């Protein structure tokens, strides 16, 4: 039996690719487009995964791929709409993408060009082809991952960031991806490339927000290159609708002595799959991965992490936490590779969950593949309920039950929330989380 | 203030309290003593509203209200405070944040305006002196990693902050060395007032050297089998509980 689905969405995408290609004019000969074409061939061969695929066992995309989407929805989302978002006034380099298309009018870049070179993907193809030739699609695996292949095939918009060696970018980069599904089923495939040079530092966030009652599909890929001794803080924030499908891959490569921090927070989303893949291709690197998710209703949140210790003497640590209500489902799959030569590796992983309903479920799967004896690795998962004794303790001090439960749930998340070092994003999330937990 | 009449309670269908009668007036300190398993902590828990205990008979009136009809938070707002035998550790919630929430919830239920951050901190500094509790401790997660003495001091500090009408101290002396016991007891004594009543639940007499009770009751097999003055506590310390058990058996 076939492991892949033949379906409406795939057929639509194959046709879309041909139509797009015919309009490319001179760009068809560029290196970037050669990658796109290669990726499209891979996508056609791979097809969408079914639940027979080991990595998709608990996340069924069948309902997604039966649908069709408009990947070029024209939206009139403008400054007035920005005002209605929870964080209208973000400080820093704020870039807006509406249905996957860069919106220059809404965006503002405040850091000087000496600190930060930032272009939308389309311009980067024309203005910085060298950077793309060196890094684009070199790390995110379009050979084996169908969604990454698909994103690569349609890589036309998104952001290309280059922080030159030695530069400390003071203002954060905040990418706001707005899906406007107020009129039709809207889809987008943003593609981002972040290259952070030697000894450079940057903080960035990707914030996903869906508007409207129609279905939506986001298939995003972000490649992050962390050069020697560089420091990158990366936050991914999702607040989408019940009908939103979100599949995203963040692919990170770290060189010697680099530091990378990731915090992924899923406040809302119908079907969410986040892949966070980090290759520690250097010695004395540190990687921290944190995650939080609060599915309720029928929401599904799947976090897959992959940490590949390819060189000796590096450290990785991950902590994912979730609170599941109603009929929601969650998945945590944490894979750690320690390669044969990666001695003195320290790798830790922990996933803790609170399941508040008998109908909610959480699947956790730690996978450690260790090919070296001289390492320290540990993993642990817990799934439990809220502490009744703690609730009674709070109530006995006058805190009403509902409030006590919210306080306790928030406290459970606190150590992850506090890892977000962009204050406006942390405050925004903190408010959203309190609101969600009180539901 | 508090009138307990023929109170019966069970847990998992096992009868623990088999008819308690007790009358407490403002300003009084009542010690409830008794051997292990006599029902002392059950009585404290039932008064605070712990849901695992099922009240199977009798009544409890507090300031003219039917206490048994009230939720734990309503009881707290009405002025009941339970100092826990085993204070709960709550990672992620600081003592300050916890108490500020609690105090303002209680104020809200009484129709009073909430305290702002400055007012709250002022009050906290003032009350922290009562049990000599450190600021740094209050900024930490509630009871997390606290020593036994710190946990019990924190309970009395909370009592000072919430200013209850009736404080129930459940085995507050357990797990304390003599110095910690003295600090905690002195804290309680500073909080004694003509309006405030205290129930001291304890297995041993030593706490009562410091918190001198007006009345001592002996609880045994779910009933108060003997009541007296503070001298009764000394007698129990000297002779143990066997003579009480023998007296009950002879009835």
């Amino acid at each position: 039996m076939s492991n892949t689905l033949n379906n409406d969405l795939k057929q639509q995408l194959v046709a879309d690719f041909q139509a797009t290609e015919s309009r490319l004019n001179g760009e068809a000969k560029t290196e970037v487009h050669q990658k796109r074409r290669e990726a499209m061939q891979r996508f056609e061969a791979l097809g969408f995964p079914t639940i027979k695929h080991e990595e998709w066992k608990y996340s069924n995309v069948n309902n997604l791929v039966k649908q069709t989407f408009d990947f070029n929805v024209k939206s009139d989302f403008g400054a007035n709409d920005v005002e209605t978002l929870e964080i209208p006034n973000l400080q820093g380099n704020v870039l807006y993408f509406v249905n996957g298309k860069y919106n220059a009018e809404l965006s503002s870049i405040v850091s000087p060009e000496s600190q930060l070179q930032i272009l939308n993907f389309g311009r980067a193809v024309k203005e910085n082809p060298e950077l793309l030739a060196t890094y684009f699609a070199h790390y995110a695996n379009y050979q084996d991952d169908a969604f990454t292949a698909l994103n690569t095939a349609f890589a036309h918009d998104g952001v290309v960031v280059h922080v030159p060696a030695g530069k400390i970018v003071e203002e954060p980069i905040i990418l706001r991806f707005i899906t406007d599904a107020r009129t039709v089923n809207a889809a987008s495939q943003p593609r981002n490339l972040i290259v952070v040079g030697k000894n450079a530092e940057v903080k960035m966030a990707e914030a996903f927000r869906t508007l409207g009652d129609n279905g939506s599909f986001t298939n995003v890929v972000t490649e992050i290159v962390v050069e020697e001794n560089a420091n990158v803080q990366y936050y991914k924030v999702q607040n989408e609708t019940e009908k939103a499908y979100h599949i995203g891959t963040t692919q990170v490569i770290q060189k010697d002595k680099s530091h990378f921090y990731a915090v992924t927070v899923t406040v809302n989303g119908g079907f969410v799959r986040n892949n966070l893949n980090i290759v520690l291709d250097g010695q004395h690197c540190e990687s921290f991965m944190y995650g939080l998710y609060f599915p309720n209703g029928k929401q599904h949140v799947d976090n897959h992490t992959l940490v590949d210790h390819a060189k000796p003497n590096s450290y990785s640590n991950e902590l994912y936490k979730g609170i599941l209500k109603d009929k929601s489902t969650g998945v945590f799959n944490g894979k750690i590779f320690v390669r044969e030569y990666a001695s003195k590796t320290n790798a830790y992983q922990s996933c803790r969950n609170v399941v508040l309903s008998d109908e909610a479920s959480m699947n956790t799967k730690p996978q450690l593949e260790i090919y070296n004896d001289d390492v320290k690795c540990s993993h642990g998962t817990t799934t439990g309920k809220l502490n009744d004794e703690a609730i009674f303790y709070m109530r006995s001090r006058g805190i009403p039950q509902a409030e006590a439960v919210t306080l306790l749930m928030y406290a459970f998340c606190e150590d992850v929330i506090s890892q977000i070092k962009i204050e406006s994003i942390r405050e925004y999330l903190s408010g959203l989380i309190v609101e969600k937990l009180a539901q | 203030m508090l009138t307990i009449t023929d109170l019966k309670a069970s847990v998992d269908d096992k009868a623990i309290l088999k008819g308690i009668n007790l009358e407490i007036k403002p300003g009084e300190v009542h010690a409830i003593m008794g051997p292990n398993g006599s029902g002392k902590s059950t009585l404290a828990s039932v008064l605070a509203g712990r849901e695992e205990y099922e009240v199977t008979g009798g009544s409890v009136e507090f300031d003219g209200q039917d206490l048994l009809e009230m939720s734990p938070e309503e009881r707290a707002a009405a002025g009941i405070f339970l100092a826990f035998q085993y204070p709960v550790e709550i990672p992620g919630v600081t003592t300050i944040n916890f108490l500020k929430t609690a105090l303002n919830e209680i104020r809200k239920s009484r129709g009073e305006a909430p305290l702002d951050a400055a007012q709250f901190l002022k009050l906290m500094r003032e009350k922290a002196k009562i049990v000599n509790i450190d600021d740094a401790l209050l900024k930490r997660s509630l009871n997390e990693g606290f020593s036994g003495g710190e946990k019990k001091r924190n309970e009395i500090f909370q009592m000072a902050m919430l200013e209850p009408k009736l404080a129930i101290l459940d085995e507050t002396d357990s797990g304390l060395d003599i110095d910690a016991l003295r600090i905690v007891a002195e804290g309680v004594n500073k909080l004694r007032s003509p309006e405030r009543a205290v129930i001291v639940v304890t297995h041993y007499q030593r706490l009562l050297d410091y918190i001198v009770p007006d009345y001592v009751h002996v609880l045994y097999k779910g009933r108060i089998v003997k009541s007296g003055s503070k001298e009764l506590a000394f007698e129990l310390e000297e002779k143990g509980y066997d003579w009480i058990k023998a007296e009950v058996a002879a009835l």
Side-chain angles (χ1 to χ4, degrees):
Chain A
M1 193 190 244
S2 167
N3 262 1
T4 60
L5 298 158
N6 230 337
N7 41 59
D8 296 349
L9 187 56
K10 187 178 171 190
Q11 284 162 17
Q12 180 199 342
L13 287 160
V14 170
D16 277 2
F17 186 83
Q18 285 163 358
T20 311
E21 199 169 38
S22 67
R23 288 195 302 267
L24 276 181
N25 207 357
E27 203 186 309
K29 290 198 178 66
T30 62
E31 229 168 302
V32 167
H33 191 69
Q34 294 312 309
K35 290 267 189 189
R36 289 188 193 124
R37 189 177 287 160
E38 208 184 314
M40 193 64 201
Q41 282 163 5
R42 285 305 300 155
F43 171 71
E44 283 189 60
L46 292 164
F48 287 112
T50 68
I51 53 168
K52 288 188 170 53
H53 193 300
E54 189 56 31
E55 299 295 327
W56 292 88
K57 199 171 165 188
Y58 301 109
S59 292
N60 192 344
V61 296
N62 198 20
N63 285 332
L64 163 68
V65 304
K66 280 195 302 210
Q67 304 179 44
T68 55
F69 293 89
D70 188 340
F71 284 80
N72 291 294
V73 177
K74 296 276 178 287
S75 165
D76 56 5
F77 181 91
N80 292 339
D81 297 287
V82 170
E83 293 297 318
T84 67
L85 300 177
E86 290 83 354
I87 21 170
N89 302 311
L90 277 169
Q91 302 292 315
N93 301 287
V94 187
L95 283 79
Y96 281 83
F97 295 84
V98 179
N99 289 338
K101 306 286 181 290
Y102 177 62
N103 186 321
E105 218 167 282
L106 298 175
S107 304
S108 71
I109 294 166
V110 295
S111 293
E113 217 183 310
S114 60
Q115 275 185 13
L116 175 69
Q117 287 143 27
I118 194 164
L119 292 170
N120 69 310
F121 197 94
R123 270 184 66 191
V125 171
K126 294 186 181 71
E127 295 176 24
N128 202 346
E130 304 81 21
L131 192 76
L132 289 176
T134 313
Y135 299 106
F136 168 69
H138 280 246
Y139 307 105
N141 182 356
Y142 63 85
Q143 294 294 339
D144 303 309
D145 183 314
F147 286 99
T148 296
L150 185 60
N151 174 286
T152 306
F154 286 91
H156 291 281
D157 215 333
V159 78
V160 176
V161 170
H162 181 221
V163 182
K167 300 296 177 187
I168 314 269
V169 184
E170 283 146 30
E171 296 291 336
I173 301 168
I174 297 170
L175 310 176
R176 302 192 82 174
F177 296 96
I178 310 290
T179 300
D180 182 354
R182 289 179 292 191
T183 51
V184 288
N185 283 1
S188 62
Q189 303 202 67
R191 176 64 175 234
N192 307 308
L193 171 64
I194 318 290
V195 180
V196 184
K198 245 185 182 179
N199 305 318
E201 242 181 83
V202 71
K203 289 191 193 83
M204 64 172 292
E206 294 178 337
F208 295 87
R209 183 81 165 82
T210 307
L211 307 173
D213 297 329
N214 291 293
S216 70
F217 170 39
T218 303
N219 179 32
V220 57
V221 173
T222 299
E223 287 177 293
I224 304 176
V225 182
V226 191
E227 294 285 8
E228 197 181 319
N229 204 34
N231 183 319
V232 177
Q233 295 177 29
Y234 166 82
Y235 309 114
K236 180 171 181 177
V237 177
Q238 296 162 300
N239 188 21
E240 303 189 83
T241 65
E242 304 289 313
K243 289 187 186 165
Y245 284 84
H246 180 113
I247 291 168
T249 293
T250 302
Q251 181 74 42
V252 182
I253 177 138
Q254 285 187 250
K255 298 295 185 182
D256 285 345
K257 290 182 269 180
S258 62
H259 291 220
F260 179 77
Y261 301 83
V263 185
T264 305
V265 182
T266 308
V267 181
N268 280 299
F271 179 101
V272 176
R273 165 66 172 258
N274 295 315
N275 299 312
L276 174 60
N277 306 329
I278 301 179
V279 180
L280 291 156
D281 187 27
Q283 295 201 45
H284 304 286
C285 295
E286 291 188 11
S287 314
F288 296 86
M289 290 142 278
Y290 298 92
L292 266 183
Y293 37 95
F294 318 93
N296 66 345
K298 289 180 175 174
Q299 297 180 351
H300 175 80
V301 181
D302 176 350
N303 279 291
H304 265 61
T305 65
L306 168 61
V307 185
D308 186 349
H309 282 269
K311 300 264 171 78
N313 295 311
S314 285
Y315 172 92
S316 69
N317 199 338
E318 61 187 307
L319 173 64
Y320 274 71
K321 286 184 158 186
I323 298 175
L324 294 91
K325 291 185 184 175
D326 307 329
K327 293 181 175 176
S328 65
T329 46
V331 180
F332 173 78
N333 190 109
K335 197 182 273 190
I336 298 174
F337 278 122
V338 180
R339 305 281 174 184
E340 196 183 340
Y341 301 108
S343 54
K344 308 278 184 208
T345 287
N346 283 293
Y348 304 100
Q349 180 189 92
S350 170
C351 178
R352 297 178 57 199
N353 299 286
V354 174
V355 179
L356 294 175
S357 143
D358 291 340
E359 291 173 293
S361 67
M362 182 71 209
N363 285 296
T364 54
K365 188 173 162 199
Q367 283 178 283
L368 274 61
E369 292 189 29
I370 300 169
Y371 302 99
N372 185 300
D373 294 333
D374 186 16
V375 298
K376 279 187 195 144
C377 292
S378 75
H379 67 88
T381 62
T382 58
T383 297
K385 301 208 174 289
L386 289 176
N387 182 352
D388 287 336
E389 187 65 12
I391 293 170
F392 175 66
Y393 190 61
M394 293 201 234
R395 295 179 72 192
S396 79
R397 299 297 183 254
I399 301 173
Q401 170 143 22
E403 190 124 344
V405 167
T406 305
L407 201 59
L408 212 53
M409 289 192 289
Y410 189 83
F412 175 77
C413 309
E414 216 284 323
D415 52 351
V416 174
I417 297 169
S418 65
Q419 296 301 326
I420 299 172
K421 310 293 184 199
I422 302 176
E423 203 185 329
S424 59
I425 297 283
R426 189 178 60 244
E427 296 294 310
Y428 157 66
L429 268 176
S430 177
L432 273 184
I433 291 168
V434 168
E435 198 180 300
K436 173 104 194 223
L437 292 177
Q439 273 174 22
Chain B
M1 173 188 273
L2 183 79
T3 308
I4 304 177
T5 311
D6 198 26
L7 179 67
K8 293 176 181 147
S10 62
V11 62
D12 297 333
D13 291 331
K14 188 173 180 281
I16 311 279
L17 301 183
K18 297 169 183 168
I20 302 275
N21 292 288
L22 190 61
E23 172 80 38
I24 294 177
K25 295 194 176 66
E28 293 177 351
V29 174
H30 290 244
I32 302 212
M33 303 184 71
N36 289 331
S38 59
K40 301 189 300 289
S41 282
T42 301
L43 177 60
S45 293
V46 168
L47 293 179
R50 196 186 281 276
E51 279 159 359
E52 297 93 285
Y53 296 91
E54 193 194 346
V55 174
T56 51
S59 66
V60 181
E61 203 184 284
F62 180 68
D63 269 354
Q65 290 175 280
D66 180 356
L67 192 74
L68 300 176
E69 284 296 309
M70 295 158 78
S71 67
E73 53 269 39
E74 286 167 343
R75 295 178 198 208
I80 290 195
F81 178 89
L82 172 66
F84 280 53
Q85 182 177 3
Y86 304 108
V88 185
E89 298 194 5
I90 307 185
V93 181
T94 62
T95 304
I96 294 179
N97 188 21
F98 171 67
L99 268 180
K100 192 167 177 230
T101 309
L103 188 63
N104 281 335
E105 283 293 342
I106 289 177
R107 291 178 67 90
K108 191 164 91 185
S109 71
R110 292 176 184 162
E112 295 164 3
L115 294 187
D116 63 28
Q119 291 167 319
F120 178 80
L121 280 179
K122 187 165 170 282
L123 181 69
M124 201 183 76
R125 297 242 156 80
E126 189 185 303
K127 302 292 186 185
K129 289 180 197 144
I130 291 174
V131 280
N132 197 13
I133 200 162
D134 198 37
D135 236 21
L137 206 63
L138 303 177
K139 286 178 185 152
R140 280 169 47 187
S141 285
L142 187 60
N143 294 323
E144 194 186 27
F146 286 22
S147 71
E150 286 169 339
K151 282 181 183 170
K152 296 299 172 79
R153 256 151 70 186
N154 192 11
E155 291 294 287
I156 304 307
F157 167 65
Q158 292 178 36
M159 173 181 161
M161 289 294 289
L162 301 179
E163 301 186 311
K165 290 181 190 160
L166 171 67
I168 305 158
L169 313 182
D170 187 9
E171 308 261 5
T172 293
D173 50 336
S174 70
L176 294 188
D177 62 33
I178 198 72
D179 293 327
L181 181 78
R182 195 157 47 221
I183 293 171
V184 166
E186 280 169 5
V188 174
N189 285 334
K190 284 178 199 161
L191 296 171
R192 286 178 75 160
S193 82
E195 295 81 37
R196 180 173 294 139
V198 181
I199 297 176
V200 183
V201 174
T202 181
H203 185 79
Y204 301 104
Q205 184 266 341
R206 64 170 194 166
L207 180 63
L208 306 180
D209 284 343
Y210 299 96
I211 306 173
V212 180
D214 300 304
Y215 302 96
V216 174
H217 310 279
V218 179
L219 196 60
Y220 179 58
K221 288 190 173 170
R223 287 192 184 87
I224 290 176
V225 294
K226 210 168 191 63
S227 293
S229 64
K230 63 185 179 195
E231 278 71 29
L232 178 56
F234 293 118
E235 207 177 341
L236 289 168
E237 178 71 6
E238 215 170 281
K239 306 202 294 199
Y241 286 104
D242 285 350
W243 63 281
I244 300 263
K245 294 178 186 174
E247 266 188 29
V248 172
L251 286 175

